[in-house]
Amino acid sequence: MSAPATPRTVQAEILDHLAPDDPEAQRSRRDLRRVNRLMGACSILSARLRPAASGTRGTAPLHAPLRLLELGAGDGELMLRVARALALHGRHSQVWQTVELRLLDRQALVRSETLEAYARLGWRAQPLVCDVRDWAAAPVNGARYDVIVANLFLHHFAAGALSAVLAGAAARCERFLACEPRRSASALLGSHLLGAIGANHVTRHDAVLSVRAGFRDRELSDHWPARGWQVEERAAGLFSHVFVAWRDRADAL
Ligand SMILES: C[S@@+](CC[C@H](N)C(=O)[O-])C[C@H]1O[C@@H](n2cnc3c(N)ncnc32)[C@H](O)[C@@H]1O
């Protein structure tokens, strides 16, 4: 179901302005895990990451240790679920058994228990606490990544900042994958119904804003640097919008 094409509006979300130890923020981040389950985020991401490692379409597979960066990673719990799904799948492939993961977020939210859980899978995870706009604007002489991932993150940015963040990512990776709220009638309805799962007022407020700031059509492709890349953008499930980009020489996610 698609809503009439309402324009994208980006407004400040409450969670972004609460301290990490604020009880309302902690509750909202727990809600976020359930929201990600409802949106099928783990399945959407892992289904698109899997083929990148095994080398589909006759192109060369990626090699361990795979360098992975998540932008706006929050507490790192979603990527941990993705890591478990990929490690399980990866019993026949070494690529998902040895991963160098950076979890970028403006707030220091990743618990040591989460890092230990990654380590048990063979993933060396490290938080990278910075504003993504500073990261994107920095000279491109530092780390490069095989894959950069974002989940429920890009919708925070209005057009100018979004272009800058995506240009920064494109300069540093071979493949890019984003799963964002879809600006659709079904997603808007779902966001208004989050009280039914016991979500707190922060989550309920931010979910509606997130859908209004979400994406449809080719809105992310239009902000991605065109030259040398192939892109694909589409609805995923009832509530999500997925964007993938890969360098011309690389295989698709
Ligand atoms: C909606 S949460 C999503 C977290 C995680 N990706 C998930 O799906 O559970 C968005 C995250 O982006 C982070 N964030 C927002 N603006 C940011 C910025 N300018 N730079 C870095 N992180 C930012 C917030 O701190 C928050 O953890």
Side-chain angles (χ1 to χ4, degrees):
M1 179 175 19
S2 288
T6 49
R8 215 185 143 230
T9 52
V10 179
Q11 289 175 273
E13 296 181 20
I14 298 174
L15 182 58
D16 290 332
H17 298 281
L18 295 178
D21 59 355
D22 185 311
E24 297 273 38
Q26 291 176 339
R27 169 77 189 279
S28 183
R29 289 193 187 275
R30 285 198 296 276
D31 292 342
L32 198 53
R33 292 181 206 160
R34 287 188 291 163
V35 170
N36 271 328
R37 283 196 165 84
L38 284 174
M39 294 180 76
C42 178
S43 314
I44 289 171
L45 295 175
S46 53
R48 283 160 181 82
L49 286 168
R50 249 176 232 129
S54 50
T56 53
R57 305 184 190 186
T59 55
L62 295 172
H63 295 290
L66 191 126
R67 297 157 303 167
L68 182 61
L69 168 70
E70 184 182 0
L71 302 178
D75 56 16
E77 294 287 338
L78 172 67
M79 189 52 74
L80 180 59
R81 289 182 56 223
V82 172
R84 287 183 174 131
L86 292 171
L88 197 66
H89 162 86
R91 279 174 303 193
H92 307 294
S93 148
Q94 285 303 305
V95 175
W96 295 115
Q97 310 282 337
T98 319
V99 175
E100 301 280 344
L101 172 67
R102 296 288 174 275
L103 298 162
L104 183 153
D105 202 283
R106 186 161 65 178
Q107 296 191 327
L109 298 164
V110 185
R111 296 177 311 141
S112 55
E113 293 90 330
T114 307
L115 298 178
E116 285 158 17
Y118 277 112
R120 285 194 290 278
L121 296 170
W123 289 40
R124 207 160 70 87
Q126 283 182 358
L128 183 55
V129 180
C130 67
D131 191 303
V132 74
R133 290 166 293 196
D134 298 334
W135 171 85
V140 189
N141 52 11
R144 288 192 59 83
Y145 300 94
D146 296 302
V147 186
I148 296 181
V149 177
N151 185 71
L152 298 185
F153 178 63
L154 298 177
H155 69 274
H156 284 82
F157 304 101
L162 181 61
S163 291
V165 169
L166 293 184
R172 291 169 175 84
C173 72
E174 301 299 313
R175 298 163 171 79
F176 183 85
L177 166 62
C179 182
E180 292 294 319
R182 185 162 177 81
R183 206 168 71 256
S184 68
S186 53
L188 193 58
L189 178 64
S191 69
H192 279 292
L193 295 176
L194 282 179
I197 63 161
N200 76 355
H201 78 97
V202 174
T203 312
R204 295 197 307 272
H205 172 273
D206 287 356
V208 173
L209 260 53
S210 298
V211 172
R212 291 187 182 140
F215 300 98
R216 52 188 299 142
D217 305 322
R218 286 183 49 84
E219 289 174 342
L220 284 165
S221 306
D222 289 346
H223 286 279
W224 188 263
R227 204 179 163 88
W229 289 87
Q230 296 190 47
V231 296
E232 196 175 285
E233 185 165 0
R234 59 177 59 186
L238 273 180
F239 309 121
S240 301
H241 184 80
V242 166
F243 170 72
V244 298
W246 61 99
R247 286 192 190 276
D248 275 341
R249 65 173 182 271
D251 57 309
L253 283 167

